[in-house]
Structures are given as C-alpha cells and as structure tokens.
Amino acid sequence: MMSNPYASTQNVFITDPSGRLGSSGMTTFNFPYTPTVTSISSANYSSYDPAHSNFQQRAFEMSANTELTLAAPIVIENEDQARHILAGMQYFRGAMKMNFGKNDPDKGLPPPVLRFTAHGVYKNVPVLIRDFTYNLDADVDYIEVDDFRLPVTSTFVLSMTTTYSPKNVRENFTIGSYLSGGLRSKGYV
C-alpha cells in the first residue's frame, strides 16, 4: 500500500492542542506539498486634521494582529489519502464553529485556537481560522471513496489571524525580546 504523506509529520502543519476537533479523525493536519504562506502585518494610526494645514498628523493606535494566508496544494493518489482529505475538510470547517445545541455539554464554547508551524519561520503560532476554501474543479480527474468524489489535485486556501491572550502579551512581550527573536518559540509573529 502507498504511504500517506498527510499522516506523517511535515515541515508545515496546523494542530489543535485542545483536542476539540478530534471527532474529525485528526488533531493535526500536515501539509506535505509546500504551501505558499502570505503574511500581512500592519499598524493602525489615527489622523489629526489641523485646520489650515497642508498635511494630516498621525498618532499610533495599535499593531493589528498578523493575518496569514496559506494556499496548499492537495494531491490525492489513493483512497486512504482521499479519506484523510475528507477528514481535513471537516477539521478546518469545524475550526470555525462554536459548540452549540442543547445536548452539547460545552455549548457556547468558541472555536478552538489552533497552532501553526511552518519551516521554523512560524513556530507554534496561535491562530484562528477565518475562512477555508476548497474547489471541486471541472478540469481534473476525480477519485471516488465512501460515496464521495474528490479531485485528485486541488488547493486548500486558509485565512488565519494570530491571537494572543492579554495575559500572555502582558507577561511575555517586550519590543527587545520580539526584535531579537526571543518570542518566536512562544508563537509571536
């Protein structure tokens, strides 16, 4: 039987340390085919508009949380990999859902904070999934498994935002430790 690269540890992965997504069949999704990772960091400034002035003045308000976009090639070579991709779709969709319903003992619990790791540049970064895109394209072959048909090549696109607890920021963040890379292992981007 052919090995399943999605089931083995890779250089790029997203994990659920809470284990709340385990019902999908996984707590970690590995990306064996190198994804494109785009990072957007920004700062917010308010403006002051003095009368009879040619220019506005700016005042720093805050640094916005880093936004990450991941575009990951998905290749399915056999039924085992197809089942893994199906579970991955549920994993990422579930990562955007809160606990809900009168029979859920944890109703009201928000979506879990996941951890993103990629190539040593991003280490254990706390992220929330903002959106997940997966296409069923017309111009590729499909594989059938368990009454589902999946394209043999496609792309997972995830938009993520970093998130840090106020306590974590208060106790760990200094501009010096951030600039020196000392906070990278704590998930700061």
Side-chain angles (χ1 to χ4, degrees), residues 35-116:
T36 298
V37 178
T38 305
S39 172
I40 301 172
S41 299
S42 60
N44 295 332
Y45 293 85
S46 59
S47 68
Y48 295 95
D49 304 324
H52 303 289
S53 175
N54 289 326
F55 302 99
Q56 296 173 320
Q57 301 301 309
R58 301 285 181 191
F60 178 78
E61 288 182 346
M62 61 173 267
S63 292
N65 288 24
T66 298
E67 301 289 327
L68 299 164
T69 301
L70 182 139
I74 299 298
V75 177
I76 299 174
E77 298 173 325
N78 56 48
E79 290 182 5
D80 184 42
Q81 292 176 14
R83 286 185 187 92
H84 202 91
I85 295 305
L86 278 170
M89 292 166 66
Q90 288 303 106
Y91 178 84
F92 290 122
R93 289 174 181 154
M96 296 181 288
K97 305 276 190 259
M98 65 178 281
N99 289 57
F100 185 82
K102 69 178 185 177
N103 295 323
D104 188 336
D106 295 320
K107 59 186 155 273
L109 200 60
V113 175
L114 306 180
R115 296 293 177 146
F116 175 61

Side-chain angles (χ1 to χ4, degrees), residues 17-30:
S18 73
R20 291 175 41 209
L21 300 175
S23 296
S24 69
M26 62 181 59
T27 57
T28 299
F29 190 91
N30 293 290

